[in-house]
Amino acid sequence: MSNERAKILIVDDDAMNRVVLSDLLSDEYDIIEAKDGDEALEILEKQAKEITLVLLDMVMPGRDGLEVLKIMNEKDWIKGTPVVMISAETSTPQVEKAFSLGVTDFIYRPFDQMVVQTRVRNTINLYVKQMQLSELVTDKIYERTRNSDMLISILSHIVEFRNGESGQH
């Protein structure tokens, strides 16, 4: 990331959890808060490309974290925005379901300051490195395609010049 601070969307129906997470992370990151799944989706609809990370509560009234994840998958937001699930829930089926929907990591309540800050930082750093690697690969593929096109053009000119009669074909 350049000089811009990373933006984190904290989605939790418990205001105290949002305050705690915001206090832990606001020194390093810009924080946006959503009180439920619907508000989170509204924010993502407008700002998905600017949000660096989503901290998403698994259990919320109305649209829960898993439903938000399903919609993030349908709209392809999950590819560009890593999600760390917040939960007191440790049941294996729920955790497996969240991972199958693209969650990068879990943070369990009660919050541990060092764990929260480290997992958020590591997830963001990993995502940034993955995006840089993806751009590098794309650039290399483009360069190779361009070089191949140039080589084909040169070879076709050579054939044209070597045989004036059939070169036009």
Side-chain angles (χ1 to χ4, degrees):
M1 319 237 43
S2 55
N3 287 343
E4 272 185 52
R5 283 169 39 119
K7 278 190 181 130
I8 297 176
L9 173 60
I10 298 172
V11 185
D12 199 315
D13 62 308
D14 186 323
M16 185 54 87
N17 287 339
R18 292 193 312 267
V19 167
V20 168
L21 288 168
S22 186
D23 285 348
L24 289 175
L25 300 168
S26 61
D27 285 348
E28 276 186 75
Y29 309 102
D30 291 336
I31 304 298
I32 303 169
E33 295 183 18
K35 67 184 179 316
D36 59 32
D38 289 328
E39 188 177 358
L41 292 169
E42 286 173 26
I43 291 168
L44 284 165
E45 191 74 52
K46 295 175 189 150
Q47 302 181 51
K49 290 198 183 329
E50 293 98 56
I51 293 172
T52 311
L53 176 77
V54 176
L55 290 174
L56 180 63
D57 187 14
M58 182 182 278
V59 181
M60 295 182 284
R63 213 179 285 249
D64 67 8
L66 294 176
E67 289 178 69
V68 171
L69 277 172
K70 285 178 193 165
I71 292 168
M72 287 184 74
N73 274 283
E74 289 167 11
K75 296 190 178 256
D76 268 353
W77 294 334
I78 200 83
K79 289 180 183 172
T81 310
V83 177
V84 174
M85 192 64 88
I86 304 165
S87 185
E89 174 75 46
T90 56
S91 87
T92 308
Q94 292 290 82
V95 171
E96 284 177 5
K97 180 77 174 155
F99 276 122
S100 75
L101 288 168
V103 163
T104 307
D105 203 351
F106 268 82
I107 295 175
Y108 294 101
R109 285 191 293 263
F111 299 122
D112 175 294
Q113 177 177 352
M114 190 275 302
V115 169
V116 169
Q117 290 171 332
T118 302
R119 287 197 170 157
V120 165
R121 189 176 308 112
N122 288 349
T123 301
I124 289 173
N125 287 341
L126 187 63
Y127 169 75
V128 167
K129 291 206 182 327
Q130 185 178 349
M131 294 309 291
Q132 289 170 341
L133 185 59
S134 179
E135 284 175 21
L136 183 68
V137 168
T138 302
D139 290 347
K140 289 291 180 195
I141 290 170
Y142 173 74
E143 188 179 319
R144 282 213 169 144
T145 303
R146 202 178 44 137
N147 288 343
S148 294
D149 290 347
M150 195 182 330
L151 187 59
I152 290 168
S153 176
I154 290 169
L155 288 172
S156 67
H157 284 310
I158 290 171
V159 168
E160 219 174 288
F161 286 123
R162 287 200 58 174
N163 187 342
E165 267 178 45
S166 63
Q168 300 301 318
H169 297 291

